[in-house]
Amino acid sequence: MKRNLAFSCLLCTLIFFSCNNQDSNMNNNPLLVDFNTPYQTPPFDQIKEEHYLPAFITAIELAKADIESIVSNKEEANFSNTILAMEKAGEKLEAISSIFFNINSAETNEQIQAIARDVSPLLTEYSNDIWLNETLFKKVKTVYENNNSGLDEEQIKLLEDTYKAFVRKGALLTGDKKARYREISKELSKLTLTYGENVLAETNSYKLHITKQDDLAGLPEAIIAAAAQLAKSEEKEGWIFSLQFPSYVPFMKYADNRELRKQMYMAYSTRGNRGNEHDNKDIVKSIVNLRLEKAQLLGFESHAQYVLEERMAKTPDKVNEFLQELLDRSYSFAKEEVDEVAQYAKNHDLKDQLQRWDFSYYSEKVKAEKFSFTEEMTKPYFQLEKVEQGIFDLATSLYGISFKENKDIPVYNPEVKAYEVYDENNKFLSILYLDFFPRKGKQGGAWMTNYREQYKNNDKDVRPFVSLVCNFSRPTEDTPSLLTYNEVRTFLHEFGHGLHGMLSETTYKSQSGTNVYRDFVELPSQILENWGTEKEWLKKVGQHYKTNQTIPDELVDKIMASANFQSGYQSVRQLSFGINDMAWHSITLPFDSDVVAFEHHAMEQTELFPEVKGTCFSSAFSHIFAGGYAAGYYGYKWAEVLDADAFSVFKNKGIFDKETAASFRDNILRKGGTKHPMDLYIAFRGQEPTIDALLEREGLVKK
């Protein structure tokens, strides 16, 4: 409490100081001067925590001056002096924000989190000052309503997007409603940050410390070695397992000790629901209620209706019909798969009912028995460095691009690698950062982000800085980082997002790369995963880390044969997340009930196991409560329909067919958000997608 009070006092002092010493700040702060680095990449080696807040304050003032120059311009509003000027406003603030908030996700600490809590309201206020500025909106509206026959396609799209953004962010509100909109926006920015901080704190707070060798029974040697290394790093004897995926997932799959599996499961599944200082349930209530209130201020029945107005799916009814159709097609398969595992467990001495902490463990044994295959068998062939090269080679084969590591580019952690990316004509395309391993200051999961968007500044093509952040298995003292097959698929997924950013060829940064509808953004990522199911590519990338032996045909065949193992269960599991999301964001009345009871009711039709008291999914569902997927998680399944349908073209013409790859690059990857996603998809595919290819690919068709 004292720290926050002191920080608030510091904030006031810095605002005063910044206003009176702006020139000094800009000269001494590495964030406020031109970056003297290769390609003007962020100077991570020079940036310290104390630089961020003064930089933000100065950059906000500069950005406000950019907006004021548009507002005060006496010339008649036109595309150039209004829409284009807005697109270019606040460039320094945008650069600082991208650096800071990416660091807050990948390399955070208490000081950075404190800065984020103080800066976010300032940024929200700045944003609201733009969208709620009546004079500015009047200028935008004038341009929007005038005859714009002289504008090209991208300019028209930018104009339409800008006008819609004003309307959707409160420009038509008046009086008390406008003031309330400001309050809601500020409060949401704080709450979503706090939610994410709580999940990270809960994930980091739990460690399973094992000191008895017998408690390691069933675990592969590599997993045991990683746990021993973690214990050693914390100066403890024995082995430590954490809730980070590379530790948690294999423990749940292989540990024979059922009680310890339950302990790990409960620790993971009760995050944010422990009644402590990091409990997220009240925050969930506040977030969904504020989102509802904001949507209704803007004339929508629910937050889902508000969000989906700007999505391919368009309406909550269409999303719910889509989810229900896939659930109806998947559930019977999932039930049979769970029953099969339950019967196997019963036949192998499980005397109690199959529980959630049993499922991965016995599923892995069923899989091994059915296919003579486990993921541990493939890990020696998926050394991280070789998979990385294999994915680079895939990008070269499809799109002609190449990669060159540059150790002179500053990075924010010594583990991060930076690459220059070039096209087939050796023209510079992008910087690519790769950050692979879990750390205390890094959020869980995997994601792609940008430190700079691609855009064109007059005749200059400003190329992007793309970053892929993952949480893969660390190397140990005896072995390099060896990936599971699922981690290989994750790498492909994030690299697909990366290609969307790196290959962008648009005029305006707000339309470049991944700046597309949320239910379209997963197409480039998920389509690339398909190469991980193809023998031709797996044979290229799979090489034994000791012998360099190519992965045997027999093992690849087992991967392929087991590809649809429990596809019904996986489908229902993913659908349950989307259904939960839609339930929270389809409420039309303020919510003040029990969070656990609400989600249980929402997800009941997807349940395949007995309820476990004390667990809560919504209290750690960061995608929708701390990320950008609110009323949009269905997009993962939606994109699976798109990617299965789109990959069928590659399957028909050859998975390395350059003509097909060029069409996908030119019609989708390069176009960003310059057109409606369905128009882009049809330009590539020649027709709208259907779910048939997905159902067939996943074996969810009754024979």
Side-chain angles (χ1 to χ4, degrees), residues 650-662:
F650 282 97
K651 289 286 284 183
N652 290 335
K653 295 187 176 181
I655 65 169
F656 299 110
D657 182 65
K658 293 189 181 297
E659 183 179 345
T660 306

Side-chain angles (χ1 to χ4, degrees), residues 607-674:
E607 289 296 0
L608 295 159
F609 300 97
E611 182 182 1
V612 180
K613 298 294 184 184
T615 63
C616 183
F617 179 66
S618 301
S619 59
F621 195 1
S622 295
H623 271 77
I624 69 168
F625 291 117
Y629 281 83
Y633 199 86
Y634 75 92
Y636 283 103
K637 293 305 291 186
W638 186 277
E640 283 184 34
V641 171
L642 296 176
D643 90 68
D645 186 68
F647 190 66
S648 66
V649 182
F650 282 97
K651 289 286 284 183
N652 290 335
K653 295 187 176 181
I655 65 169
F656 299 110
D657 182 65
K658 293 189 181 297
E659 183 179 345
T660 306
S663 176
F664 191 78
R665 176 193 61 204
D666 295 341
N667 289 304
I668 292 178
L669 297 178
R670 281 182 172 169
K671 294 293 187 181
T674 57

Side-chain angles (χ1 to χ4, degrees), residues 526-556:
Q526 290 183 188
I527 194 171
L528 204 67
E529 286 189 57
N530 286 279
W531 274 266
T533 67
E534 295 292 323
K535 176 182 264 191
E536 193 175 355
W537 184 75
L538 287 171
K539 293 282 286 183
K540 290 176 181 289
V541 74
Q543 292 185 334
H544 198 283
Y545 78 99
K546 286 184 177 178
T547 66
N548 285 326
Q549 175 195 4
T550 299
I551 188 169
D553 285 338
E554 179 185 5
L555 190 50
V556 176

Side-chain angles (χ1 to χ4, degrees), residues 179-195:
R180 180 57 184 153
Y181 182 91
R182 283 182 178 273
E183 293 171 4
I184 292 170
S185 301
K186 278 188 179 180
E187 190 62 25
L188 280 171
S189 72
K190 294 177 185 177
L191 287 169
T192 53
L193 268 176
T194 304
Y195 182 101

Side-chain angles (χ1 to χ4, degrees), residues 28 44 49 51-52 60 87 127 131-132 238 241 243 279 355 374 384 389 411 457 463 500 626 677 699:
N28 298 326
F44 293 114
E49 281 89 346
H51 291 136
Y52 284 115
I60 287 172
E87 176 77 3
S127 177
W131 303 117
L132 302 177
F241 295 87
L243 300 184
D279 196 283
Q355 299 288 348
T374 70
L384 174 58
Q389 188 59 53
V411 292
N457 185 9
R463 300 309 303 172
H500 205 179

